[in-house]
Amino acid sequence: MTNREAGINVVREMMGDQAAAKLSSSADSNTFGVPIAAYAVDQVFADIWTRPGLDKRSRSLVAVSVMIAMRQPHAFAIHMGAGLNNGLTLKEIEEVVIQALPYVGYPAIATALAAAAEVVKERGLDVDKNYAGHRGLL
């Protein structure tokens, strides 16, 4: 199996067929940004996500934490979804957000909470049928 195939398999396992097809298409196209998509598949997903030192669940905890700290709501949502697919619970992700709070501050947490609310809604994980999503911190 090539790195490309291994990387696409990791993406498929963590994010589903649609994400795998989209990233594979990007990495194999002749358009602007091909090297970036190829590095993501071949190195990030094939080489790093398959290393033996941590399981995918633990790697998801790290990825979610980093996206909170970097205030990257889109990437946070992607990695939150992957984390749920890798065995994290919604409660564990909430604890990661709480743990990050004293280190990154409320603005970064508010950004993550808004992205998390979308993932919760999309996946039907709302525990209260009247929950309308994240309403801000104030």
Side-chain angles (χ1 to χ4, degrees), residues 38-137:
Y39 286 134
V41 174
D42 299 343
Q43 295 176 347
V44 175
F45 292 108
D47 291 341
I48 295 173
W49 276 88
T50 61
R51 290 179 53 81
L54 294 171
D55 60 11
K56 286 186 180 86
R57 187 179 180 287
S58 298
R59 290 182 191 282
S60 284
L61 285 170
V62 173
V64 167
S65 300
V66 170
M67 294 311 123
I68 293 168
M70 293 179 62
R71 294 186 190 181
Q72 296 296 315
H74 178 71
F76 172 84
I78 290 170
H79 283 285
M80 180 179 169
L84 290 166
N85 293 342
N86 285 337
L88 293 178
T89 67
L90 200 53
K91 185 65 177 166
E92 288 171 321
I93 294 169
E94 183 178 49
E95 286 300 322
V96 168
V97 174
I98 292 167
Q99 182 67 31
L101 177 60
Y103 302 101
V104 300
Y106 281 103
I109 296 304
T111 299
L113 287 176
E118 289 300 313
V119 174
V120 167
K121 183 178 176 182
E122 287 171 7
R123 289 185 173 233
L125 300 174
D126 304 2
V127 294
D128 180 344
K129 64 181 177 188
N130 296 317
Y131 177 67
H134 175 62
R135 290 176 283 283
L137 297 174

